[in-house]
Amino acid sequence: MFSPLIDELIESLRCLPGVGPKSAQKMALYLLEREHKGADRLAGALRSALDKVGRCSSCRTLTEEPECSICRSEKRNNGVMCIVETPADVIAIESSGCFSGRYFVLMGHLSPIDGIGPDELGLDKLKNIVEYNNITEVIIATNSTVEGEATSYFIAELLKDLHIDVSRIAHGVPMGGELEYVDGNTLALALDGRKKL
Amino acid sequence: MFSPLIDELIESLRCLPGVGPKSAQKMALYLLEREHKGADRLAGALRSALDKVGRCSSCRTLTEEPECSICRSEKRNNGVMCIVETPADVIAIESSGCFSGRYFVLMGHLSPIDGIGPDELGLDKLKNIVEYNNITEVIIATNSTVEGEATSYFIAELLKDLHIDVSRIAHGVPMGGELEYVDGNTLALALDGRKKL
């Protein structure tokens, strides 16, 4: 509908998650009408990130360094490892300020239908790290979805014969949550995991 | 929070309209984890659009050619001109298939507070085109907002002494609109602009 270069820009903006044809058109016109500077910065940032960002050689998170800043840090407790699905989960846990160990980022979850098995999640590497790095405790913090639970179970089985503590983060009513609006499964887990006062 | 290049990508995605910090983070990680190809295409499309897209020399819409495809077309009725605020409005009217004349794109509306006056909207050029190109009718299709109405009024005054037909698109109840849910101003306009059956 527009000229070819504008159409191409609209079409390529659609690769962004949650951006449909109408938003893509709005974004493209906004950039071309009023945000040349921002668009230029975005093009540059995309190019450098694509060229340089790779995986951390220890924890597999996204970083442009050979090792990410958490793995490089000497202030972390190297005996405890938290296993999460994505780099965003690392940030979420770091923001809580309650964990000072190291991470292992699966970059996904087991999903045989999409061809994602233990190899794609680097589980052999995980076992190696746990075995040869004096890790004494592993906390599995995959998502509370069917796939996340399956992945958690698989990892627990994998680490069983190493005789270390393997735990799963607690499930229950979120802070500030009103019982009335909490779903049945969560309530069942909250009751099941009750703690003595 | 992430490594510098990823943070820069997240920050630069925020120049997109409607994208806040959370969506920008989601987009950046999505691109880096799963959409290298799309991100590459987006970076390229941004760069070419920035380098090449400018304004049509006649109607001021966005295009990479000296003149846009509508202005170049020989099938259009060159005697009628429709004045709109943005390139997206041109596409909206073109999609309706009900107009075959030429356009003039203001690329905004009068807004003294933002420093947008008649010069920024190219109104001198508009008057020239209307005066020297045998335009017999001008349809003003700026938005039905306060600024759009003010712009429309200003243009009507500007073209007054050229003695051509100047009209404003009709306002009223939209097709499929239920009276119950139409606001009072629109209803007042709909009653005022009633047509004999």
Side-chain angles (χ1 to χ4, degrees):
Chain A
M1 290 295 277
F2 294 92
S3 65
L5 284 181
I6 305 180
D7 278 340
E8 164 65 13
L9 177 57
I10 294 173
E11 199 46 47
S12 38
L13 280 163
R14 292 196 52 197
C15 76
L16 296 171
V19 175
K22 270 277 172 192
S23 324
Q25 178 183 314
K26 193 175 154 193
M27 287 173 169
L29 294 176
Y30 176 80
L31 291 177
L32 291 172
E33 286 168 26
R34 267 173 287 176
E35 256 297 11
H36 270 223
K37 226 169 118 184
D40 187 58
R41 182 178 171 194
L42 176 56
L46 275 168
R47 188 59 69 207
S48 339
L50 279 174
D51 287 350
K52 295 184 194 137
V53 172
R55 300 281 182 83
C56 168
S57 60
S58 329
C59 77
R60 287 172 44 100
T61 195
L62 293 169
T63 177
E64 64 262 30
E65 311 280 349
E67 254 195 335
C68 73
S69 58
I70 295 178
C71 289
R72 279 203 314 271
S73 168
E74 286 173 8
K75 291 184 190 147
R76 312 287 302 197
N77 173 1
N78 280 325
V80 189
M81 172 186 274
C82 181
I83 302 178
V84 294
E85 292 189 19
T86 67
D89 298 338
V90 173
I91 302 301
I93 294 179
E94 283 297 289
S95 311
S96 81
C98 295
F99 180 73
S100 64
R102 51 192 297 177
Y103 291 93
F104 189 85
V105 183
L106 301 170
M107 300 297 274
H109 45 237
L110 289 177
S111 176
I113 215 167
D114 303 314
I116 301 176
D119 288 351
E120 282 71 26
L121 301 183
L123 295 189
D124 43 345
K125 188 174 170 183
L126 168 67
K127 196 174 176 185
N128 261 336
I129 296 178
V130 173
E131 199 163 0
Y132 300 109
N133 283 270
N134 298 320
I135 306 269
T136 55
E137 188 181 355
V138 167
I139 303 168
I140 307 180
T142 51
N143 289 333
S144 310
T145 54
V146 176
E147 295 88 352
E149 291 297 339
T151 309
S152 159
Y153 184 77
F154 189 94
I155 295 174
E157 282 295 306
L158 183 79
L159 302 179
K160 213 179 197 173
D161 47 356
L162 299 182
H163 303 292
I164 51 165
D165 289 339
V166 176
S167 57
R168 177 91 175 102
I169 48 167
H171 293 110
V173 180
M175 284 301 289
E178 296 182 50
L179 281 202
E180 190 181 344
Y181 301 110
V182 171
D183 67 296
N185 283 337
T186 306
L187 274 182
L189 287 167
L191 286 169
D192 195 47
R194 67 191 178 277
K195 279 186 179 175
K196 248 195 170 126
L197 293 177
Chain B
M1 291 295 274
F2 293 92
S3 66
L5 284 181
I6 305 179
D7 279 341
E8 163 64 14
L9 177 57
I10 294 173
E11 198 46 49
S12 38
L13 279 164
R14 292 196 51 198
C15 75
L16 296 172
V19 175
K22 270 278 171 191
S23 322
Q25 178 183 314
K26 194 176 153 193
M27 286 174 170
L29 294 177
Y30 176 80
L31 291 178
L32 291 172
E33 285 167 26
R34 266 173 288 174
E35 257 297 11
H36 270 224
K37 225 169 121 183
D40 187 60
R41 182 179 171 192
L42 176 56
L46 276 168
R47 188 60 69 208
S48 339
L50 281 174
D51 287 350
K52 295 186 194 138
V53 172
R55 300 281 181 84
C56 168
S57 60
S58 330
C59 75
R60 286 170 45 99
T61 196
L62 294 169
T63 177
E64 64 262 27
E65 311 280 348
E67 256 196 334
C68 75
S69 57
I70 295 177
C71 289
R72 277 202 318 271
S73 167
E74 286 173 4
K75 290 184 191 148
R76 313 286 303 195
N77 173 1
N78 280 325
V80 189
M81 173 186 272
C82 181
I83 302 177
V84 294
E85 291 189 19
T86 67
D89 299 338
V90 173
I91 302 300
I93 295 180
E94 284 295 290
S95 310
S96 80
C98 294
F99 180 73
S100 63
R102 51 192 295 176
Y103 291 93
F104 189 84
V105 183
L106 301 170
M107 299 298 274
H109 45 237
L110 289 178
S111 176
I113 216 167
D114 302 314
I116 301 177
D119 288 351
E120 282 70 26
L121 301 183
L123 295 189
D124 44 345
K125 187 174 170 184
L126 168 68
K127 197 174 175 185
N128 262 334
I129 295 179
V130 174
E131 199 164 359
Y132 300 109
N133 283 270
N134 298 320
I135 305 267
T136 53
E137 187 179 355
V138 167
I139 302 168
I140 307 180
T142 52
N143 289 335
S144 309
T145 55
V146 177
E147 295 88 352
E149 291 296 338
T151 310
S152 159
Y153 184 77
F154 189 95
I155 295 174
E157 282 295 306
L158 182 80
L159 301 179
K160 212 179 197 173
D161 47 357
L162 298 182
H163 304 293
I164 50 163
D165 289 337
V166 176
S167 57
R168 177 93 174 100
I169 47 166
H171 293 110
V173 180
M175 284 301 291
E178 295 183 48
L179 282 201
E180 190 180 346
Y181 301 109
V182 172
D183 67 296
N185 284 337
T186 305
L187 274 183
L189 287 168
L191 285 169
D192 195 47
R194 67 190 178 279
K195 279 186 177 175
K196 249 197 171 124
L197 291 176

